[in-house]
Amino acid sequence: MGSYKYSSRAKDKTTFFSEIGNIAVFSGRTLRYTFSFPFEFREFLKQCYAIGNLSLGLVAITGAIMGIVLTIQSRPVLSDFGAEAMLPQMVAVSIVREIGPVITALICAGKVGSGMGAELGSMKVTEQIDAMEVSATLPIKYLVVTRVLAATLMVPILVVFADALGLLGSWVGTNIKGSVNIVLFFSHAFSSLDFIDLVPALIKSFFFGAVIGLIGCYKGYTAGKGTESVGVAANSAVVLSSLLIIIVDLVAVQITDLML
Amino acid sequence: MNSSSAEIFTLHQSPQKNTESIIEINNLKISFGQQEVLKDVSFNLHKGENLVVLGKSGSGKSVLIKCITKLLQPDYGKITVLGEDVNSLEGKKLAELRKKIGFLFQSGALYDSMTVKENLEFPLSRMEQKFTKEEKYEKVISVLENVGLKDAVNKMPSELSGGMRKRIALARTLIVDPVIMLYDEPTTGLDPLTSREISKLINEVQQKYHTSSVIITHDMDCAKETGDRALILKDGTILAEGKLEELENSDDAWIKAFFGKT
Ligand SMILES: Nc1ncnc2c1ncn2[C@@H]1O[C@H](COP(=O)(O)OP(=O)(O)OP(=O)(O)O)[C@@H](O)[C@H]1O
Ligand SMILES: [Mg+2]
């Protein structure tokens, strides 16, 4: 009989560096299958709807409250410098550049990332991913690519939404002391906003979305055996994607700074 | 030939002369960490045959059939399915082979975010052949009738009992008319009456579509009803193979104990 030796399977032990390597390999595979035919369009739409629908309310409330809080807290500082008139501009820049994208991304990491980790994790544990594979479907294409793309698309949309509600909240905040016409407020706010505020913020939001999708799917997809690994997958998806969002933000700020 | 073949005492020489082998497994070896689950397993599955695999819990039966579909990669050994070397297959070719194999998971593995109907339509939508909505629905209903669960078509898997889930999973595997069926404990958790119906269904599938099947089971009635040949897995090797009645009447102490004849 012929003898055939195969390379042994990936070892179970994970260290910090092997984890980074695995995530890189996983991301590479996801990217490769993103551009291969056929695209699972229905599943993609389903995921877009799920992500948007799931986080919309939460993002809206948080955005509005951040706007109000930021306005109330900035007012005394600005009035110390006699620059109270700058309030709309200042709040608009902080929300659009930083607070909107980061807070929205962190909320989505908690809501969407953990959901993906738990869903794929339980699919893995109950052999649903194996079942998909034997019915000649690539789980990475059907489950992972669709979710990562949906998150990459939906997070920036949610960010724009959060920005808008943040500004509205800021207007409410300014009206707590004194009254400002809403048209006047927004014309002030927008006058300070440049392309240079909007575009980098939107670009980084796409990356935040990709991070959330990739880490959520990676953690779920590589979940161990047994039901407790579902919880572990969901939990570590949130922790790792939140951390990565902050790191991506740091890098994005440096790059934007260099380009200006 | 492999070195351990002396340990395998073949009690019955099955009619191998002019039977075509659908699955050939040679010297299969697989381990998880330190644990050697399969040490040296070789056997053939002939065309149109129902092969029953027996063995204690944890003896590696599920691992064995997962290797056949490349869900697990063996450390050593060659697996040939329908003339193709499974371990060297990738991408499209692997997908094509998998479309010919029906795999009933021990846990059922129904997609719990989909309804029963969507679960059954999923493998259909993955086939080359395109079906219209009506054709799909017809197929779904007819296969559900086969497993006696026509009423469950719009239910979610979480609304079904364990036995019902198992039968839906069976329906999902049968819906694409596979050439090879791998059943992992098809009757576990079912009442005797339903078990007998499932055994009958397995035989019907075999006769109607000339399907070749590997049936893993702990249910002796099911094994007797469906099996043309049986093999016993122990300590990572095949302890014995032959007709079930012959195995039952074996003199080997361990086999006697296994069949409860101490
Ligand atoms: N993915 C895996 N990683 C590590 N160990 C595994 C894996 N799959 C199976 N095993 C081990 O392999 C052994 C055989 O498992 P397997 O599921 O094949 O048993 P089985 O014969 O099907 O048992 P049962 O009749 O209870 O289903 C077990 O000891 C199990 O712990
Ligand atoms: Mg098993």
Side-chain angles (χ1 to χ4, degrees):
Chain A
M1 292 276 115
S3 52
Y4 304 84
K5 177 93 190 109
Y6 300 102
S7 61
S8 55
R9 274 148 283 113
K11 287 287 159 276
D12 300 317
K13 238 185 239 160
T14 47
T15 63
F16 176 70
F17 290 107
S18 69
E19 179 89 344
I20 292 178
N22 289 340
I23 292 174
V25 170
F26 186 79
S27 309
R29 280 187 67 196
T30 308
L31 193 68
R32 187 158 70 89
Y33 284 115
T34 305
F35 299 104
S36 77
F37 193 75
F39 185 65
E40 306 281 353
F41 199 69
R42 276 184 60 169
E43 180 70 10
F44 168 71
L45 282 186
K46 209 169 127 188
Q47 291 307 320
C48 284
Y49 176 74
I51 293 171
N53 197 30
L54 212 66
S55 328
L56 196 62
L58 209 56
V59 164
I61 292 171
T62 323
I65 291 178
M66 288 318 287
I68 298 175
V69 169
L70 202 63
T71 309
I72 294 175
Q73 294 210 325
S74 312
R75 189 203 296 275
V77 186
L78 286 181
S79 62
D80 281 352
F81 293 106
E84 220 178 319
M86 297 289 284
L87 195 56
Q89 284 98 317
M90 204 216 89
V91 173
V93 168
S94 359
I95 286 179
V96 169
R97 275 197 181 181
E98 187 60 28
I99 304 214
V102 173
I103 295 284
T104 307
L106 289 177
I107 287 176
C108 288
K111 193 94 182 133
V112 176
S114 68
M116 285 179 184
E119 189 190 6
L120 296 202
S122 79
M123 287 186 80
K124 170 91 182 194
V125 168
T126 57
E127 297 180 313
Q128 291 174 53
I129 290 187
D130 285 345
M132 215 163 251
E133 210 166 328
V134 293
S135 48
T137 304
L138 284 171
I140 197 140
K141 212 162 152 42
Y142 187 85
L143 298 171
V144 178
V145 169
T146 51
R147 279 166 176 74
V148 173
L149 282 185
T152 311
L153 182 73
M154 292 313 283
V155 168
I157 292 177
L158 288 168
V159 165
V160 171
F161 192 70
D163 286 353
L165 275 152
L167 291 180
L168 203 64
S170 172
W171 175 70
V172 172
T174 39
N175 270 315
I176 291 173
K177 279 187 186 167
S179 87
V180 182
N181 180 294
I182 188 165
V183 179
L184 190 67
F185 176 86
F186 272 95
S187 80
H188 264 262
F190 285 141
S191 74
S192 65
L193 286 179
D194 236 334
F195 238 31
I196 222 71
D197 297 309
L198 275 172
V199 174
L202 267 184
I203 292 177
K204 78 179 174 189
S205 306
F206 278 103
F207 281 97
F208 291 162
V211 163
I212 292 167
L214 274 173
I215 300 300
C217 290
Y218 170 76
K219 286 293 179 184
Y221 203 78
T222 54
K225 301 197 124 207
T227 26
E228 84 280 0
S229 13
V230 178
V232 173
N235 186 278
S236 55
V238 178
V239 174
L240 187 59
S241 53
S242 304
L243 182 68
L244 281 178
I245 284 166
I246 303 292
I247 293 173
V248 168
D249 190 42
L250 179 68
V251 175
V253 166
Q254 302 288 334
I255 293 175
T256 329
D257 209 37
L258 280 180
M259 297 211 302
L260 289 184
Chain B
M1 279 311 285
N2 68 66
S3 56
S4 62
S5 59
E7 292 167 22
I8 305 172
F9 47 97
T10 305
L11 293 166
H12 173 261
Q13 210 57 52
S14 42
Q16 284 173 346
K17 289 142 250 158
N18 46 15
T19 41
E20 187 187 335
S21 279
I22 298 289
I23 299 178
E24 276 175 50
I25 295 183
N26 294 312
N27 309 98
L28 182 66
K29 191 190 269 186
I30 185 167
S31 45
F32 297 100
Q34 295 296 314
Q35 184 193 7
E36 272 195 308
V37 176
L38 298 178
K39 287 177 191 150
D40 188 359
V41 171
S42 306
F43 68 87
N44 288 0
L45 175 73
H46 309 304
K47 191 168 169 56
E49 170 190 51
N50 280 347
L51 176 67
V52 170
V53 176
L54 303 167
K56 267 175 44 174
S57 179
S59 56
K61 305 182 295 297
S62 300
V63 168
L64 174 67
I65 60 167
K66 280 182 185 167
C67 287
I68 296 175
T69 50
K70 211 189 174 185
L71 282 175
L72 289 172
Q73 279 248 35
D75 300 328
Y76 186 88
K78 182 171 183 179
I79 302 173
T80 314
V81 178
L82 298 169
E84 309 255 21
D85 178 3
V86 173
N87 288 303
S88 61
L89 287 184
E90 298 271 349
K92 260 213 163 83
K93 288 210 146 168
L94 181 61
E96 242 151 62
L97 182 67
R98 279 173 171 171
K99 282 177 190 167
K100 296 177 192 152
I101 304 176
F103 196 118
L104 173 67
F105 283 85
Q106 190 167 357
S107 59
L110 292 178
Y111 307 125
D112 43 33
S113 60
M114 305 182 194
T115 64
V116 166
K117 179 165 163 277
E118 288 165 338
N119 259 287
L120 295 176
E121 283 176 350
F122 188 86
L124 280 182
S125 63
R126 304 284 132 184
M127 304 298 283
E128 242 88 278
Q129 194 185 348
K130 290 287 165 242
F131 300 95
T132 63
K133 238 183 174 165
E134 290 76 40
E135 283 172 330
K136 272 192 205 168
Y137 191 71
E138 229 167 74
K139 271 185 168 284
V140 166
I141 292 298
S142 94
V143 79
L144 279 179
E145 265 169 359
N146 270 337
V147 295
L149 282 174
K150 214 175 97 184
D151 298 334
V153 64
N154 287 317
K155 290 218 163 99
M156 295 302 284
S158 55
E159 297 166 337
L160 304 173
S161 76
M164 286 162 95
R165 251 176 271 164
K166 191 101 205 195
R167 282 187 282 162
I168 300 291
L170 181 59
R172 188 179 65 183
T173 16
L174 294 176
I175 199 164
V176 291
D177 304 333
V179 181
I180 301 171
M181 274 296 310
L182 307 172
Y183 301 94
D184 199 343
E185 306 195 5
T187 57
T188 308
L190 300 179
D191 59 281
L193 202 63
T194 317
S195 295
R196 228 166 297 142
E197 277 165 17
I198 295 293
S199 302
K200 251 199 228 147
L201 183 64
I202 292 174
N203 282 336
E204 268 173 40
V205 168
Q206 178 199 22
Q207 277 146 25
K208 219 160 133 188
Y209 304 107
H210 306 288
T211 314
S212 323
S213 317
V214 176
I215 302 157
I216 294 175
T217 188
H218 295 293
D219 174 359
M220 283 308 147
D221 294 331
C222 170
K224 273 181 207 150
E225 174 92 20
T226 59
D228 299 318
R229 193 160 61 100
L231 47 87
I232 299 180
L233 213 56
K234 181 179 181 276
D235 298 332
T237 55
I238 293 173
L239 179 68
E241 83 170 270
K243 284 220 184 284
L244 201 70
E245 310 88 73
E246 292 166 337
L247 290 182
E248 270 186 312
N249 299 324
S250 154
D251 296 330
D252 185 83
W254 192 90
I255 298 179
K256 271 187 170 167
F258 182 80
F259 286 108
K261 294 186 177 171
T262 32

